mmCIF file of all heavy atoms in Angstrom:
data_model
loop_
_atom_site.group_PDB
_atom_site.id
_atom_site.type_symbol
_atom_site.label_atom_id
_atom_site.label_comp_id
_atom_site.label_asym_id
_atom_site.label_seq_id
_atom_site.Cartn_x
_atom_site.Cartn_y
_atom_site.Cartn_z
ATOM 1 N N LEU A 233 4.795 6.043 3.602
ATOM 2 C CA LEU A 233 3.798 5.030 3.222
ATOM 3 C C LEU A 233 3.592 5.020 1.714
ATOM 4 O O LEU A 233 3.502 3.964 1.109
ATOM 5 C CB LEU A 233 2.418 5.291 3.957
ATOM 6 C CG LEU A 233 2.563 5.104 5.475
ATOM 7 C CD1 LEU A 233 1.267 5.644 6.213
ATOM 8 C CD2 LEU A 233 2.591 3.567 5.789
ATOM 9 N N VAL A 234 3.459 6.190 1.057
ATOM 10 C CA VAL A 234 3.238 6.315 -0.351
ATOM 11 C C VAL A 234 4.501 5.721 -0.996
ATOM 12 O O VAL A 234 4.283 4.951 -2.065
ATOM 13 C CB VAL A 234 3.078 7.825 -0.780
ATOM 14 C CG1 VAL A 234 3.088 7.942 -2.305
ATOM 15 C CG2 VAL A 234 1.677 8.275 -0.188
ATOM 16 N N ASP A 235 5.673 6.075 -0.600
ATOM 17 C CA ASP A 235 6.857 5.424 -1.230
ATOM 18 C C ASP A 235 6.844 3.862 -1.090
ATOM 19 O O ASP A 235 7.139 3.193 -2.099
ATOM 20 C CB ASP A 235 8.150 5.903 -0.548
ATOM 21 C CG ASP A 235 8.435 7.401 -0.921
ATOM 22 O OD1 ASP A 235 7.882 7.884 -1.881
ATOM 23 O OD2 ASP A 235 9.263 7.985 -0.213
ATOM 24 N N THR A 236 6.514 3.373 0.058
ATOM 25 C CA THR A 236 6.387 1.914 0.284
ATOM 26 C C THR A 236 5.362 1.271 -0.686
ATOM 27 O O THR A 236 5.652 0.227 -1.291
ATOM 28 C CB THR A 236 6.031 1.635 1.689
ATOM 29 O OG1 THR A 236 7.069 2.136 2.499
ATOM 30 C CG2 THR A 236 5.900 0.088 1.890
ATOM 31 N N VAL A 237 4.202 1.912 -0.809
ATOM 32 C CA VAL A 237 3.101 1.361 -1.710
ATOM 33 C C VAL A 237 3.542 1.474 -3.124
ATOM 34 O O VAL A 237 3.406 0.461 -3.885
ATOM 35 C CB VAL A 237 1.766 2.213 -1.483
ATOM 36 C CG1 VAL A 237 0.848 1.895 -2.642
ATOM 37 C CG2 VAL A 237 1.177 1.951 -0.112
ATOM 38 N N GLU A 238 4.220 2.549 -3.563
ATOM 39 C CA GLU A 238 4.664 2.633 -4.992
ATOM 40 C C GLU A 238 5.697 1.567 -5.291
ATOM 41 O O GLU A 238 5.584 0.831 -6.257
ATOM 42 C CB GLU A 238 5.255 4.040 -5.173
ATOM 43 C CG GLU A 238 5.730 4.153 -6.646
ATOM 44 C CD GLU A 238 6.274 5.575 -6.875
ATOM 45 O OE1 GLU A 238 6.895 6.166 -6.020
ATOM 46 O OE2 GLU A 238 6.146 6.045 -8.056
ATOM 47 N N ARG A 239 6.647 1.443 -4.401
ATOM 48 C CA ARG A 239 7.694 0.347 -4.592
ATOM 49 C C ARG A 239 7.019 -1.054 -4.737
ATOM 50 O O ARG A 239 7.445 -1.889 -5.518
ATOM 51 C CB ARG A 239 8.742 0.388 -3.545
ATOM 52 C CG ARG A 239 9.790 1.432 -3.755
ATOM 53 C CD ARG A 239 10.973 1.242 -2.813
ATOM 54 N NE ARG A 239 10.679 1.141 -1.355
ATOM 55 C CZ ARG A 239 10.471 2.156 -0.564
ATOM 56 N NH1 ARG A 239 10.554 3.429 -0.956
ATOM 57 N NH2 ARG A 239 10.162 1.896 0.721
ATOM 58 N N ALA A 240 6.138 -1.260 -3.790
ATOM 59 C CA ALA A 240 5.450 -2.627 -3.815
ATOM 60 C C ALA A 240 4.633 -2.813 -5.150
ATOM 61 O O ALA A 240 4.765 -3.908 -5.760
ATOM 62 C CB ALA A 240 4.541 -2.735 -2.578
ATOM 63 N N LEU A 241 3.905 -1.822 -5.518
ATOM 64 C CA LEU A 241 3.175 -1.985 -6.748
ATOM 65 C C LEU A 241 4.034 -2.153 -7.958
ATOM 66 O O LEU A 241 3.710 -2.960 -8.824
ATOM 67 C CB LEU A 241 2.212 -0.806 -6.930
ATOM 68 C CG LEU A 241 1.048 -0.676 -5.966
ATOM 69 C CD1 LEU A 241 0.297 0.617 -6.178
ATOM 70 C CD2 LEU A 241 0.113 -1.837 -6.069
ATOM 71 N N LEU A 242 5.082 -1.423 -8.023
ATOM 72 C CA LEU A 242 6.099 -1.524 -9.082
ATOM 73 C C LEU A 242 6.734 -2.986 -9.121
ATOM 74 O O LEU A 242 7.079 -3.455 -10.203
ATOM 75 C CB LEU A 242 7.170 -0.553 -9.039
ATOM 76 C CG LEU A 242 6.647 0.994 -9.391
ATOM 77 C CD1 LEU A 242 7.762 1.976 -9.085
ATOM 78 C CD2 LEU A 242 6.219 1.011 -10.824
ATOM 79 N N SER A 243 6.905 -3.529 -7.977
ATOM 80 C CA SER A 243 7.519 -4.836 -7.826
ATOM 81 C C SER A 243 6.560 -5.989 -8.347
ATOM 82 O O SER A 243 7.033 -7.151 -8.646
ATOM 83 C CB SER A 243 8.028 -5.081 -6.479
ATOM 84 O OG SER A 243 6.975 -5.448 -5.642
ATOM 85 N N LEU A 244 5.277 -5.729 -8.457
ATOM 86 C CA LEU A 244 4.335 -6.833 -8.823
ATOM 87 C C LEU A 244 4.645 -7.436 -10.125
ATOM 88 O O LEU A 244 4.515 -8.698 -10.312
ATOM 89 C CB LEU A 244 2.893 -6.250 -8.810
ATOM 90 C CG LEU A 244 2.245 -6.165 -7.477
ATOM 91 C CD1 LEU A 244 0.925 -5.570 -7.715
ATOM 92 C CD2 LEU A 244 2.116 -7.523 -6.824
ATOM 93 N N SER A 245 5.071 -6.663 -11.094
ATOM 94 C CA SER A 245 5.194 -7.144 -12.506
ATOM 95 C C SER A 245 6.357 -8.227 -12.552
ATOM 96 O O SER A 245 6.354 -9.024 -13.462
ATOM 97 C CB SER A 245 5.406 -6.054 -13.423
ATOM 98 O OG SER A 245 6.582 -5.298 -13.124
ATOM 99 N N THR A 246 7.345 -8.062 -11.712
ATOM 100 C CA THR A 246 8.513 -8.950 -11.707
ATOM 101 C C THR A 246 8.476 -10.023 -10.601
ATOM 102 O O THR A 246 9.299 -10.952 -10.581
ATOM 103 C CB THR A 246 9.842 -8.169 -11.681
ATOM 104 O OG1 THR A 246 9.836 -7.369 -10.454
ATOM 105 C CG2 THR A 246 9.996 -7.310 -12.894
ATOM 106 N N ALA A 247 7.442 -9.961 -9.786
ATOM 107 C CA ALA A 247 7.349 -10.821 -8.597
ATOM 108 C C ALA A 247 6.869 -12.184 -9.062
ATOM 109 O O ALA A 247 5.939 -12.283 -9.863
ATOM 110 C CB ALA A 247 6.580 -10.254 -7.487
ATOM 111 N N ALA A 248 7.267 -13.279 -8.420
ATOM 112 C CA ALA A 248 6.686 -14.540 -8.620
ATOM 113 C C ALA A 248 5.266 -14.516 -8.188
ATOM 114 O O ALA A 248 4.969 -13.813 -7.208
ATOM 115 C CB ALA A 248 7.567 -15.656 -7.930
ATOM 116 N N VAL A 249 4.415 -15.309 -8.792
ATOM 117 C CA VAL A 249 3.018 -15.356 -8.391
ATOM 118 C C VAL A 249 2.868 -15.596 -6.848
ATOM 119 O O VAL A 249 2.062 -14.971 -6.239
ATOM 120 C CB VAL A 249 2.236 -16.415 -9.138
ATOM 121 C CG1 VAL A 249 0.745 -16.541 -8.686
ATOM 122 C CG2 VAL A 249 2.250 -16.096 -10.566
ATOM 123 N N GLY A 250 3.648 -16.474 -6.293
ATOM 124 C CA GLY A 250 3.589 -16.794 -4.899
ATOM 125 C C GLY A 250 3.893 -15.572 -4.023
ATOM 126 O O GLY A 250 3.466 -15.463 -2.897
ATOM 127 N N GLU A 251 4.716 -14.667 -4.471
ATOM 128 C CA GLU A 251 5.144 -13.435 -3.618
ATOM 129 C C GLU A 251 4.027 -12.379 -3.831
ATOM 130 O O GLU A 251 3.966 -11.482 -2.943
ATOM 131 C CB GLU A 251 6.473 -12.894 -4.169
ATOM 132 C CG GLU A 251 7.632 -13.789 -4.028
ATOM 133 C CD GLU A 251 8.825 -13.251 -4.644
ATOM 134 O OE1 GLU A 251 8.700 -12.659 -5.723
ATOM 135 O OE2 GLU A 251 9.890 -13.576 -4.177
ATOM 136 N N ARG A 252 3.275 -12.430 -4.852
ATOM 137 C CA ARG A 252 2.330 -11.299 -5.187
ATOM 138 C C ARG A 252 1.288 -11.136 -4.133
ATOM 139 O O ARG A 252 0.857 -10.065 -3.803
ATOM 140 C CB ARG A 252 1.689 -11.501 -6.493
ATOM 141 C CG ARG A 252 2.642 -11.308 -7.651
ATOM 142 C CD ARG A 252 1.970 -11.476 -8.950
ATOM 143 N NE ARG A 252 2.906 -11.397 -9.978
ATOM 144 C CZ ARG A 252 2.658 -11.841 -11.270
ATOM 145 N NH1 ARG A 252 1.402 -12.228 -11.591
ATOM 146 N NH2 ARG A 252 3.582 -11.760 -12.199
ATOM 147 N N LYS A 253 0.790 -12.303 -3.518
ATOM 148 C CA LYS A 253 -0.283 -12.182 -2.449
ATOM 149 C C LYS A 253 0.268 -11.427 -1.279
ATOM 150 O O LYS A 253 -0.489 -10.496 -0.765
ATOM 151 C CB LYS A 253 -0.695 -13.564 -2.042
ATOM 152 C CG LYS A 253 -1.776 -13.529 -1.067
ATOM 153 C CD LYS A 253 -2.243 -14.910 -0.624
ATOM 154 C CE LYS A 253 -3.285 -14.802 0.414
ATOM 155 N NZ LYS A 253 -3.729 -16.077 1.012
ATOM 156 N N ALA A 254 1.508 -11.681 -0.858
ATOM 157 C CA ALA A 254 2.123 -10.933 0.296
ATOM 158 C C ALA A 254 2.329 -9.460 -0.058
ATOM 159 O O ALA A 254 2.093 -8.641 0.789
ATOM 160 C CB ALA A 254 3.431 -11.640 0.718
ATOM 161 N N ILE A 255 2.708 -9.203 -1.268
ATOM 162 C CA ILE A 255 2.912 -7.778 -1.776
ATOM 163 C C ILE A 255 1.583 -7.099 -1.680
ATOM 164 O O ILE A 255 1.530 -5.889 -1.173
ATOM 165 C CB ILE A 255 3.540 -7.737 -3.093
ATOM 166 C CG1 ILE A 255 5.026 -8.263 -3.084
ATOM 167 C CG2 ILE A 255 3.491 -6.335 -3.710
ATOM 168 C CD1 ILE A 255 5.567 -8.502 -4.510
ATOM 169 N N LEU A 256 0.542 -7.695 -2.231
ATOM 170 C CA LEU A 256 -0.774 -7.014 -2.225
ATOM 171 C C LEU A 256 -1.342 -6.793 -0.739
ATOM 172 O O LEU A 256 -1.925 -5.777 -0.493
ATOM 173 C CB LEU A 256 -1.796 -7.863 -3.025
ATOM 174 C CG LEU A 256 -1.512 -7.850 -4.550
ATOM 175 C CD1 LEU A 256 -2.340 -8.843 -5.300
ATOM 176 C CD2 LEU A 256 -1.685 -6.433 -5.110
ATOM 177 N N GLU A 257 -1.067 -7.801 0.082
ATOM 178 C CA GLU A 257 -1.424 -7.572 1.480
ATOM 179 C C GLU A 257 -0.746 -6.496 2.117
ATOM 180 O O GLU A 257 -1.327 -5.732 2.899
ATOM 181 C CB GLU A 257 -1.286 -8.897 2.258
ATOM 182 C CG GLU A 257 -2.263 -9.977 1.898
ATOM 183 C CD GLU A 257 -1.975 -11.344 2.465
ATOM 184 O OE1 GLU A 257 -0.830 -11.505 3.056
ATOM 185 O OE2 GLU A 257 -2.783 -12.236 2.354
ATOM 186 N N ALA A 258 0.520 -6.297 1.806
ATOM 187 C CA ALA A 258 1.235 -5.209 2.321
ATOM 188 C C ALA A 258 0.758 -3.830 1.815
ATOM 189 O O ALA A 258 0.707 -2.883 2.606
ATOM 190 C CB ALA A 258 2.764 -5.360 1.986
ATOM 191 N N VAL A 259 0.493 -3.782 0.575
ATOM 192 C CA VAL A 259 -0.103 -2.628 -0.015
ATOM 193 C C VAL A 259 -1.422 -2.165 0.692
ATOM 194 O O VAL A 259 -1.590 -0.956 1.037
ATOM 195 C CB VAL A 259 -0.292 -2.773 -1.572
ATOM 196 C CG1 VAL A 259 -1.199 -1.718 -2.146
ATOM 197 C CG2 VAL A 259 1.017 -2.841 -2.243
ATOM 198 N N LEU A 260 -2.233 -3.163 0.882
ATOM 199 C CA LEU A 260 -3.478 -2.882 1.568
ATOM 200 C C LEU A 260 -3.317 -2.360 2.961
ATOM 201 O O LEU A 260 -4.024 -1.496 3.425
ATOM 202 C CB LEU A 260 -4.415 -4.179 1.498
ATOM 203 C CG LEU A 260 -5.008 -4.460 0.168
ATOM 204 C CD1 LEU A 260 -5.679 -5.831 0.216
ATOM 205 C CD2 LEU A 260 -5.933 -3.389 -0.312
ATOM 206 N N ARG A 261 -2.326 -2.964 3.672
ATOM 207 C CA ARG A 261 -2.092 -2.557 5.024
ATOM 208 C C ARG A 261 -1.637 -1.027 5.072
ATOM 209 O O ARG A 261 -1.998 -0.268 5.870
ATOM 210 C CB ARG A 261 -1.044 -3.397 5.715
ATOM 211 C CG ARG A 261 -1.543 -4.672 6.361
ATOM 212 C CD ARG A 261 -0.528 -5.372 7.199
ATOM 213 N NE ARG A 261 0.792 -5.525 6.597
ATOM 214 C CZ ARG A 261 1.100 -6.515 5.802
ATOM 215 N NH1 ARG A 261 0.167 -7.508 5.606
ATOM 216 N NH2 ARG A 261 2.321 -6.638 5.285
ATOM 217 N N GLU A 262 -0.671 -0.756 4.140
ATOM 218 C CA GLU A 262 -0.154 0.653 4.162
ATOM 219 C C GLU A 262 -1.170 1.596 3.719
ATOM 220 O O GLU A 262 -1.288 2.707 4.301
ATOM 221 C CB GLU A 262 1.040 0.712 3.093
ATOM 222 C CG GLU A 262 2.178 -0.250 3.407
ATOM 223 C CD GLU A 262 2.907 0.140 4.734
ATOM 224 O OE1 GLU A 262 2.759 1.121 5.266
ATOM 225 O OE2 GLU A 262 3.662 -0.749 5.174
ATOM 226 N N LEU A 263 -2.048 1.242 2.680
ATOM 227 C CA LEU A 263 -3.120 2.202 2.343
ATOM 228 C C LEU A 263 -4.077 2.336 3.400
ATOM 229 O O LEU A 263 -4.602 3.468 3.655
ATOM 230 C CB LEU A 263 -3.838 1.667 1.068
ATOM 231 C CG LEU A 263 -3.085 1.717 -0.230
ATOM 232 C CD1 LEU A 263 -3.783 1.000 -1.367
ATOM 233 C CD2 LEU A 263 -2.752 3.180 -0.596
ATOM 234 N N HIS A 264 -4.415 1.278 4.184
ATOM 235 C CA HIS A 264 -5.347 1.347 5.280
ATOM 236 C C HIS A 264 -4.858 2.269 6.383
ATOM 237 O O HIS A 264 -5.552 3.083 6.957
ATOM 238 C CB HIS A 264 -5.635 -0.016 5.877
ATOM 239 C CG HIS A 264 -6.746 -0.135 6.804
ATOM 240 N ND1 HIS A 264 -8.014 -0.038 6.431
ATOM 241 C CD2 HIS A 264 -6.679 -0.245 8.176
ATOM 242 C CE1 HIS A 264 -8.784 -0.046 7.602
ATOM 243 N NE2 HIS A 264 -7.964 -0.153 8.665
ATOM 244 N N THR A 265 -3.529 2.204 6.676
ATOM 245 C CA THR A 265 -2.952 3.046 7.582
ATOM 246 C C THR A 265 -2.976 4.481 7.253
ATOM 247 O O THR A 265 -3.299 5.373 7.974
ATOM 248 C CB THR A 265 -1.493 2.584 7.926
ATOM 249 O OG1 THR A 265 -1.460 1.296 8.439
ATOM 250 C CG2 THR A 265 -0.743 3.614 8.853
ATOM 251 N N LEU A 266 -2.631 4.777 6.003
ATOM 252 C CA LEU A 266 -2.601 6.060 5.437
ATOM 253 C C LEU A 266 -4.041 6.644 5.531
ATOM 254 O O LEU A 266 -4.187 7.813 5.873
ATOM 255 C CB LEU A 266 -2.066 6.109 3.984
ATOM 256 C CG LEU A 266 -1.912 7.431 3.369
ATOM 257 C CD1 LEU A 266 -1.078 8.401 4.233
ATOM 258 C CD2 LEU A 266 -1.178 7.346 2.044
ATOM 259 N N LYS A 267 -5.021 5.822 5.176
ATOM 260 C CA LYS A 267 -6.453 6.215 5.127
ATOM 261 C C LYS A 267 -6.828 6.684 6.564
ATOM 262 O O LYS A 267 -7.498 7.658 6.715
ATOM 263 C CB LYS A 267 -7.312 5.137 4.623
ATOM 264 C CG LYS A 267 -8.792 5.481 4.559
ATOM 265 C CD LYS A 267 -9.577 4.348 4.076
ATOM 266 C CE LYS A 267 -9.656 3.185 5.103
ATOM 267 N NZ LYS A 267 -10.530 2.127 4.757
ATOM 268 N N GLY A 268 -6.478 5.842 7.555
ATOM 269 C CA GLY A 268 -6.793 6.148 8.907
ATOM 270 C C GLY A 268 -6.136 7.347 9.388
ATOM 271 O O GLY A 268 -6.740 8.142 10.128
ATOM 272 N N ASN A 269 -4.892 7.542 9.076
ATOM 273 C CA ASN A 269 -4.187 8.733 9.460
ATOM 274 C C ASN A 269 -4.782 9.942 8.843
ATOM 275 O O ASN A 269 -4.953 10.962 9.574
ATOM 276 C CB ASN A 269 -2.718 8.615 9.174
ATOM 277 C CG ASN A 269 -1.954 7.592 9.921
ATOM 278 O OD1 ASN A 269 -2.421 7.004 10.861
ATOM 279 N ND2 ASN A 269 -0.730 7.349 9.507
ATOM 280 N N ALA A 270 -5.198 9.859 7.634
ATOM 281 C CA ALA A 270 -5.856 10.997 7.047
ATOM 282 C C ALA A 270 -7.123 11.404 7.721
ATOM 283 O O ALA A 270 -7.490 12.591 7.910
ATOM 284 C CB ALA A 270 -6.022 10.771 5.479
ATOM 285 N N GLY A 271 -7.873 10.401 8.083
ATOM 286 C CA GLY A 271 -9.165 10.613 8.827
ATOM 287 C C GLY A 271 -8.805 11.308 10.234
ATOM 288 O O GLY A 271 -9.586 12.104 10.525
ATOM 289 N N MET A 272 -7.805 10.784 10.890
ATOM 290 C CA MET A 272 -7.523 11.393 12.145
ATOM 291 C C MET A 272 -7.086 12.890 12.050
ATOM 292 O O MET A 272 -7.321 13.668 12.959
ATOM 293 C CB MET A 272 -6.422 10.619 12.909
ATOM 294 C CG MET A 272 -6.924 9.299 13.429
ATOM 295 S SD MET A 272 -5.692 8.535 14.571
ATOM 296 C CE MET A 272 -4.329 8.254 13.503
ATOM 297 N N MET A 273 -6.515 13.208 10.874
ATOM 298 C CA MET A 273 -6.069 14.599 10.647
ATOM 299 C C MET A 273 -7.235 15.448 10.078
ATOM 300 O O MET A 273 -7.095 16.686 9.878
ATOM 301 C CB MET A 273 -4.925 14.590 9.686
ATOM 302 C CG MET A 273 -3.683 14.011 10.181
ATOM 303 S SD MET A 273 -3.033 14.687 11.775
ATOM 304 C CE MET A 273 -2.675 16.367 11.175
ATOM 305 N N GLY A 274 -8.413 14.854 9.914
ATOM 306 C CA GLY A 274 -9.565 15.572 9.364
ATOM 307 C C GLY A 274 -9.523 15.821 7.915
ATOM 308 O O GLY A 274 -10.242 16.730 7.365
ATOM 309 N N LEU A 275 -8.712 15.109 7.197
ATOM 310 C CA LEU A 275 -8.539 15.232 5.757
ATOM 311 C C LEU A 275 -9.510 14.292 4.993
ATOM 312 O O LEU A 275 -9.094 13.284 4.452
ATOM 313 C CB LEU A 275 -7.135 15.012 5.348
ATOM 314 C CG LEU A 275 -6.089 15.866 5.974
ATOM 315 C CD1 LEU A 275 -4.689 15.381 5.737
ATOM 316 C CD2 LEU A 275 -6.285 17.322 5.617
ATOM 317 N N SER A 276 -10.787 14.600 5.124
ATOM 318 C CA SER A 276 -11.893 13.658 4.766
ATOM 319 C C SER A 276 -11.735 13.386 3.201
ATOM 320 O O SER A 276 -12.087 12.294 2.719
ATOM 321 C CB SER A 276 -13.233 14.142 5.093
ATOM 322 O OG SER A 276 -13.502 15.435 4.522
ATOM 323 N N GLU A 277 -11.489 14.289 2.338
ATOM 324 C CA GLU A 277 -11.465 14.121 0.946
ATOM 325 C C GLU A 277 -10.250 13.141 0.621
ATOM 326 O O GLU A 277 -10.424 12.201 -0.184
ATOM 327 C CB GLU A 277 -11.243 15.417 0.141
ATOM 328 C CG GLU A 277 -11.305 15.214 -1.341
ATOM 329 C CD GLU A 277 -11.297 16.526 -2.145
ATOM 330 O OE1 GLU A 277 -11.650 17.535 -1.686
ATOM 331 O OE2 GLU A 277 -10.913 16.409 -3.314
ATOM 332 N N LEU A 278 -9.067 13.367 1.167
ATOM 333 C CA LEU A 278 -8.004 12.379 1.006
ATOM 334 C C LEU A 278 -8.365 11.114 1.553
ATOM 335 O O LEU A 278 -8.124 10.032 0.931
ATOM 336 C CB LEU A 278 -6.767 12.978 1.762
ATOM 337 C CG LEU A 278 -5.531 12.054 1.701
ATOM 338 C CD1 LEU A 278 -5.130 11.848 0.215
ATOM 339 C CD2 LEU A 278 -4.419 12.706 2.508
#
């Protein structure tokens, strides 16, 4: 998930404006999943 988020964020600078919305939505989905997984593992600070 972290690799996917990093690649997506790095791609923003060269992406067309029309593609950026989809990239940002994908980043939010991946971060949300990672946040939920951390919570299920009891990693509250993370």
Side-chain angles (χ1 to χ4, degrees):
L233 292 168
V234 168
D235 287 346
T236 300
V237 168
E238 182 180 33
R239 280 192 306 275
L241 291 174
L242 288 171
S243 75
L244 280 176
S245 63
T246 58
V249 173
E251 297 172 328
R252 290 180 187 167
K253 182 178 179 186
I255 291 170
L256 291 171
E257 288 171 352
V259 165
L260 290 172
R261 276 193 309 275
E262 301 294 345
L263 289 173
H264 188 77
T265 298
L266 185 53
K267 179 183 71 174
N269 291 353
M272 286 191 299
M273 294 302 297
L275 303 171
S276 59
E277 186 174 335
L278 177 58

